[in-house]
Amino acid sequence: HIKRNADSIPSVNMKTGKSQWKLQFTSFLLLGAMTWSLHPTLGNEESSSSLNDALSADLAEQYMTPTVDPSRMHFAEHFDDLFEHGNIEKRWIKSKASKEDVAEDVAKYDGEWKIEQPIRVILSGDYGLVLKSKAKHAAIASHLLLNRPFVFKDKPLVLQYEVTLQEGQECGGSYIKLLSDGDNLKQFNDKTPYTIMFGPDKCGNDVKLHFIFRHVNPINGSIEEKHCNKQKERLDDLFKDRRPHLYQLIIRPDNTYTIRIDHKTINEGDLLSNVTPPVNPPAEIDDPNDLKPENWDDREMIPDPESKKPQDWDENEPAQIPDPKATKPLDWLDDLEEMVPDDTAIKPDDWDNDMDGEWEPPLIPNPLCAKAVGCGLWKAPMISNPNYKGKWRPPLIANINYQGKWAPRKYPTQITLKI
């Protein structure tokens, strides 16, 4: 359930002193919403009753369709009129592409999109774009309003949209890409060039909130993905609480960025330094031809060569021994086994002795031992051995030949850029 997408960038130049990064777009930019193998799963975190606590459409507060002013924004979408006319493709183009390097039966982008109200109605008449199919690739795209480029000069870029994972999510993404090429949107896929990618993504325990931009090297023109540093907070609840969440990315002309969820800042930084790999290369780099000398001694501490193991040091003593003071309880049942065959078990009809071996009933706790202190062979409990010393090692002393931690010599990065 994707709602209220705003602002996109066709052309970007950012400068700070000698540092520069460039985001390349064509003049006909589009916004793409892409989902990879989206597989909603009904979790057990909420009872079935909690799914039925939604307000009815009659009782919910009435939603008012916002006014879209193309002079104030570069992209906005409320989906409401698309429901009224029953035509998603009035403004959105569904991808008909196929994913490369995967089996043909799962390669197609054939996820089903519809305009609907959410399962849990909060505002009556509020519609959104809903992905209906499970375990399928799905991608959909739309052009900017009036195809008007966003020029990054003195105003920040704000990209925000609302997502509701209505049945939770185990593996999939609901992120947005600002595409660099809008020539053939029906072939929009994971290889389509983009400039910015933003939004949540999860598979198993791997939870991410992507902010990636593709940077053009001003020296050689190569393009490299830059990933923002990961936020400190865990975001697992976003994928299982089944509630709407507002994702917001702000990029400013001073090269700073802020990421918010539901108006709370969860990540922020600088585009030149708080990304991996960094936009600006280090001032100096290691000389790959400078090798560590064979006789370089970087051991700060060494074993004392004059120390000797004490004669009474016994390395064979175990760490734990049976408690010599323990005694067997008087009512301990030595003659009974702790585990006995289950006499109610029945040999399966498809059991094959030749293939599976001779069938034996599974073992279960002996019911006669349930009221006893214990059954079977009694053993004294284990305690720490007071005589245990472990393997002897000589104490460490300062190394008089210590030369420090070795590091290769460095040379200015600018030299490599000129070669």
Side-chain angles (χ1 to χ4, degrees):
H1 187 238
I2 301 174
K3 199 72 177 174
R4 290 189 273 285
N5 305 317
D7 285 7
S8 198
I9 327 175
S11 169
V12 177
N13 273 294
M14 288 190 178
K15 298 180 180 180
T16 300
K18 295 183 179 179
S19 305
Q20 174 177 311
W21 65 276
K22 182 180 180 183
L23 305 184
Q24 281 194 334
F25 281 88
T26 64
S27 58
F28 296 95
L29 253 285
L30 52 121
L31 180 145
M34 180 170 285
T35 306
W36 300 122
S37 303
L38 182 60
H39 191 177
T41 56
L42 190 61
N44 57 10
E45 290 81 11
E46 296 189 37
S47 65
S48 59
S49 62
S50 67
L51 292 177
N52 297 323
D53 66 357
L55 296 170
S56 70
D58 294 334
L59 296 177
E61 182 180 348
Q62 185 62 39
Y63 163 79
M64 299 295 292
T65 299
T67 301
V68 176
D69 184 355
S71 66
R72 297 184 56 205
M73 58 195 68
H74 291 261
F75 188 88
E77 178 61 87
H78 48 66
F79 301 107
D80 300 330
D81 62 319
L82 299 184
F83 172 79
E84 294 170 2
H85 297 90
N87 184 14
I88 297 177
E89 297 182 13
K90 177 182 178 182
R91 288 194 298 271
W92 290 84
I93 300 171
K94 300 177 184 179
S95 174
K96 304 296 183 183
S98 293
K99 195 174 177 69
E100 299 178 3
D101 304 323
V102 296
E104 185 176 351
D105 57 335
V106 295
K108 293 181 179 179
Y109 283 78
D110 54 359
E112 181 185 0
W113 300 92
K114 283 191 176 181
I115 305 297
E116 296 179 350
Q117 288 196 95
I119 294 174
R120 305 175 69 181
V121 178
I122 299 174
L123 296 174
S124 178
D126 184 13
Y127 293 91
L129 180 64
V130 180
L131 181 61
K132 303 292 290 181
S133 47
K134 297 182 179 181
K136 289 181 179 291
H137 299 296
I140 195 165
S142 179
H143 289 278
L144 299 182
L145 297 176
L146 308 178
N147 284 325
R148 181 168 60 92
F150 178 95
V151 179
F152 214 128
K153 217 170 187 180
D154 53 4
K155 294 183 179 180
L157 163 73
V158 179
L159 169 64
Q160 69 178 34
Y161 66 112
E162 183 181 284
V163 177
T164 303
L165 301 174
Q166 301 191 97
E167 295 181 350
Q169 188 171 26
E170 186 57 35
C171 191
S174 46
Y175 43 81
I176 279 181
K177 288 184 174 182
L178 305 186
L179 303 182
S180 310
D181 182 3
D183 290 341
N184 189 2
L185 298 186
K186 289 186 177 180
Q187 294 302 311
F188 176 25
N189 59 40
D190 59 323
K191 305 296 184 185
T192 301
Y194 71 92
T195 300
I196 287 179
M197 172 174 157
F198 173 64
D201 193 10
K202 177 182 185 290
C203 201
N205 293 324
D206 188 13
V207 176
K208 298 177 181 177
L209 179 57
H210 293 292
F211 167 36
I212 307 171
F213 63 88
R214 299 205 315 156
H215 170 252
V216 180
N217 188 309
I219 303 298
N220 55 27
S222 63
I223 299 176
E224 185 177 43
E225 287 186 352
K226 308 292 184 181
H227 298 244
C228 78
N229 294 344
K230 192 170 183 178
Q231 74 284 340
K232 295 180 180 180
E233 292 186 40
R234 292 285 298 177
L235 304 176
D236 303 67
D237 287 347
L238 301 173
F239 296 89
K240 56 187 180 183
D241 64 9
R242 310 179 197 180
R243 300 183 182 281
H245 293 286
L246 182 68
Y247 295 88
Q248 184 185 70
L249 169 66
I250 303 173
I251 304 176
R252 304 178 184 86
D254 64 356
N255 290 330
T256 61
Y257 68 86
T258 299
I259 297 173
R260 297 190 181 116
I261 301 177
D262 300 332
H263 305 292
K264 177 184 176 182
T265 298
I266 57 105
N267 201 353
E268 56 188 345
D270 185 280
L271 293 170
L272 301 179
S273 54
N274 298 118
V275 295
T276 305
V279 171
N280 284 341
E284 294 182 323
I285 62 173
D286 294 341
D287 182 352
N289 298 318
D290 187 18
L291 304 178
K292 179 181 176 181
E294 293 183 2
N295 61 350
W296 187 278
D297 194 342
D298 56 6
R299 299 171 302 161
E300 191 170 354
M301 304 291 288
I302 60 172
D304 184 355
E306 298 183 0
S307 179
K308 296 182 180 180
K309 184 173 73 172
Q311 291 184 353
D312 61 348
W313 191 287
D314 187 353
E315 295 183 348
N316 297 320
E317 285 282 353
Q320 290 191 318
I321 58 173
D323 186 355
K325 297 180 181 180
T327 57
K328 183 176 69 174
L330 295 176
D331 54 350
W332 189 276
L333 304 179
D334 298 81
D335 299 331
L336 295 181
E337 296 290 340
E338 276 189 279
M339 304 294 290
V340 295
D342 183 359
D343 56 8
T344 63
I346 300 175
K347 179 180 177 180
D349 294 336
D350 59 351
W351 189 276
D352 188 330
N353 286 355
D354 294 333
M355 296 290 293
D356 306 319
E358 184 178 353
W359 182 82
E360 295 180 356
L363 296 178
I364 60 172
N366 190 339
L368 299 178
C369 297
K371 297 182 180 180
V373 175
C375 289
L377 178 64
W378 179 84
K379 294 181 180 180
M382 303 296 286
I383 62 171
S384 297
N385 182 359
N387 298 319
Y388 173 73
K389 295 185 177 180
K391 185 175 179 60
W392 182 85
R393 292 180 176 84
L396 297 178
I397 61 172
N399 181 8
I400 59 174
N401 298 317
Y402 176 63
Q403 296 175 266
K405 297 298 181 183
W406 182 87
R409 63 174 173 265
K410 296 182 179 292
Y411 56 83
T413 307
Q414 287 81 355
I415 295 177
T416 59
L417 294 177
K418 294 178 180 178
I419 294 176

